Amino acid sequence: MSRPARRFRVRLLLTLVVVLALFVAACGSASEQTEDLDAQPALEQPSTDESTNAERSIQADLPTEPLKLGLLLDFTGPLANYGQELLKGFELAIEHINAAGGVWGMPVETAVGDTALDPTIAVDEARRLIDVEHVHGLVGPMSSAMALAVAESVSGPAKIPTISPVGTSSQITLADDDDFLFRVSLADHVEGRYLAGLAEQQGYDNVGLIYRDDAFGQGMATAFEQHWTGTIKAIGVDPRSPSFIAELEQSVEFGPQALVLISFPPERILILREALELGYYDQFVFGAPARAPGVSEAIGPERLAGMRGTYVAPAPSNPSSEAWIRAYLDEHGEPPQLPYVKEAYDATIALALAAEAARSSDGAGIRDQLRSIGAQPGLVVISSPESLSDGLQAARSGQEINYEGAAGIIEWDEHGDSTHGYIGVWEFTADGSITDIEVFEYVAQ
């Protein structure tokens, strides 16, 4: 081979070596760049990934079984019509909660019990709901006597949070319930004050008072007497009595101008009939349970026209109550026929929000969140599926929420008593209907 040819081959080999070296260097640089990209901090990942991971973390800590709520009301016996009406409020709340995504990401389940206005039956039904149905919370009972029996014998010892939509007796404040009994309605000591004021406004300074001799009647009668400045003869009656003539005779001892009546449907109609037929009274002032159309129908509209009473009233119109009534009308075509339907709704929503905030099915954990879900400040939540969806998600993630109920502000003191509410004055009309006269706002001091 000639010398020029040999030099050409050497140059070619050197060129190939240089090209190969450059190629290897380039590959190494690309590999390093890839490793650098892989080592970038997580904050440069897309925000959707962060949200997904956070949501997965939240879901991983939640119960795997659905929340189950029990409803314990009177579906047979003297208050059966109330039970059927309050059931509608409970069902609407469950419908809204599940439409909002449920609790812990699952639809809420339910179970129903009937107290029949009998403490023994109420206790047995509460045990069934807790021990057999395995509910995590109870809505009810209605009657104060039933609520006390259930809370002190069953739900308190079992550590199951219980919210009565209606129970008003002042005895509930000091119940031996281990702080597991709450109520939406204001206590008797509030309504009793306004009932005494109403009697005075009617121009009376001497009245007879007949009350149902149980936790409800005793509490209301005591509150009335504490705020009454005139003459009074107060008598408790056994609601199972076949006649109340003897009690009526005793009540007129001091020549009263009117009868203040604190009673439930069975005894109330009989007391009114006997009082009117025997001429003992023709003027009456009523406690809350008389605010029902059946009273005027049974006695005669013309005989009760103009007679007034008090009751724990829902809040005046506001965004939450307006949303609720629209939903209720869509469902049933007419407004509730009896009071406390909104309160049953609010009790149900409160348990659901508290369970979501607790992130646990533990009764004590749910109880401990009840006082916070209606407290300011926080995300305002009203009684609509859209707002509840936001509220449930916020509670689940640990944010503060402020549930403004269909019946009013939901806030409880250390005894589980409502600290805010309204007392209404109503009147029987000549056509047998009931009309509301005015509403007073109450805020605990």
Side-chain angles (χ1 to χ4, degrees):
M1 179 181 297
S2 65
R3 185 169 301 191
R6 192 178 299 116
R7 282 200 296 267
F8 173 77
R9 291 185 60 187
V10 170
R11 290 194 194 103
L12 180 60
L13 287 171
L14 289 171
T15 301
L16 289 173
V17 169
V18 171
V19 171
L20 180 60
L22 291 172
F23 176 77
V24 171
C27 288
S29 176
S31 176
E32 290 173 2
Q33 290 176 5
T34 301
E35 292 175 358
D36 289 344
L37 287 173
D38 291 339
Q40 291 298 314
L43 59 84
E44 295 190 11
Q45 296 296 320
S47 59
T48 53
D49 291 346
E50 290 182 358
S51 300
T52 301
N53 291 337
E55 183 63 25
R56 286 174 180 167
S57 176
I58 290 173
Q59 291 289 348
D61 296 333
L62 295 175
T64 57
E65 297 293 328
L67 176 70
K68 191 169 188 178
L69 298 179
L71 179 69
L72 186 57
L73 298 177
D74 307 289
F75 294 104
T76 56
L79 297 181
N81 56 339
Y82 277 87
Q84 293 297 334
E85 200 75 355
L86 268 65
L87 173 63
K88 297 175 185 177
F90 176 78
E91 290 177 335
L92 184 61
I94 297 297
E95 180 181 321
H96 282 184
I97 293 164
N98 289 340
V103 174
W104 311 323
M106 296 173 284
V108 174
E109 297 180 352
T110 64
V112 177
D114 179 10
T115 71
L117 202 61
D118 183 311
T120 302
I121 295 174
V123 166
D124 289 343
E125 282 288 85
R127 286 201 178 102
R128 179 183 66 81
L129 290 174
I130 293 170
D131 296 338
V132 179
E133 295 289 348
H134 303 295
V135 299
H136 303 110
L138 282 174
V139 174
M142 287 177 51
S143 159
S144 298
M146 305 305 107
L148 284 165
V150 166
E152 294 185 338
S153 299
V154 187
S155 59
K159 300 188 182 304
I160 297 296
T162 302
I163 306 179
S164 173
V166 187
T168 60
S169 172
S170 298
Q171 296 179 30
I172 288 178
T173 300
L174 302 177
D176 184 15
D177 63 310
D178 199 20
D179 194 32
F180 280 91
L181 177 59
F182 294 70
R183 54 177 159 191
V184 180
S185 179
L186 289 172
D188 286 332
H189 69 83
V190 179
E191 186 183 349
R193 176 197 309 177
Y194 286 91
L195 185 61
L198 174 62
E200 290 180 354
Q201 289 175 12
Q202 298 289 91
Y204 307 131
D205 58 17
N206 183 354
V207 298
L209 171 62
I210 290 182
Y211 62 92
R212 182 185 178 94
D213 197 8
D214 65 2
F216 159 71
Q218 293 163 6
M220 184 71 78
T222 298
F224 183 94
E225 290 185 85
Q226 287 175 345
H227 295 282
W228 179 250
T229 59
T231 302
I232 187 170
K233 177 70 173 182
I235 300 171
V237 298
D238 181 348
R240 297 167 297 182
S241 177
S243 173
F244 300 97
I245 293 175
E247 290 87 349
L248 285 165
E249 287 178 346
Q250 295 176 48
S251 74
V252 296
E253 178 181 355
F254 302 121
Q257 301 150 317
L259 175 65
V260 179
L261 190 55
I262 301 171
S263 59
F264 284 166
E267 69 271 17
R268 178 172 56 237
I269 300 300
L270 182 54
I271 291 171
L272 285 171
R273 282 177 176 160
E274 292 181 337
L276 288 164
E277 289 172 1
L278 296 173
Y280 289 126
Y281 294 97
D282 61 6
Q283 297 297 308
F284 304 93
V285 182
F286 296 101
R291 191 180 183 277
V295 178
S296 185
E297 294 171 5
I299 301 302
E302 71 285 352
R303 306 185 82 171
L304 294 182
M307 309 296 172
R308 295 186 176 186
T310 59
Y311 78 115
V312 177
S317 182
N318 59 58
S320 188
S321 66
E322 291 170 3
W324 187 88
I325 194 63
R326 286 195 299 269
Y328 190 92
L329 290 173
D330 287 344
E331 193 82 14
H332 299 287
E334 61 180 0
Q337 300 303 299
L338 293 169
Y340 306 116
V341 180
K342 289 181 178 179
E343 285 82 353
Y345 176 97
D346 287 340
T348 311
I349 297 296
L351 285 169
L353 289 170
E356 193 74 272
R359 300 167 54 77
S360 170
S361 59
D362 176 67
I366 296 172
R367 182 272 314 271
D368 291 344
Q369 293 295 330
L370 281 172
R371 290 183 176 88
S372 66
I373 56 97
Q376 298 179 351
L379 173 69
V380 174
V381 180
I382 67 172
S383 50
S384 73
E386 297 79 14
S387 183
L388 286 172
S389 177
D390 294 338
L392 289 164
Q393 292 180 44
R396 184 184 308 170
S397 62
Q399 298 179 43
E400 293 183 337
I401 59 172
N402 176 19
Y403 175 57
E404 296 184 353
I409 294 173
I410 303 298
E411 291 183 359
W412 287 293
D413 65 13
E414 68 274 19
H415 303 293
D417 289 345
S418 291
T419 62
H420 188 280
Y422 298 86
I423 298 295
V425 175
W426 53 272
E427 180 180 274
F428 283 119
T429 64
D431 63 4
S433 62
I434 294 171
T435 185
D436 289 324
I437 304 300
E438 56 185 330
V439 174
F440 302 94
E441 182 176 13
Y442 169 82
V443 181
Q445 299 300 318

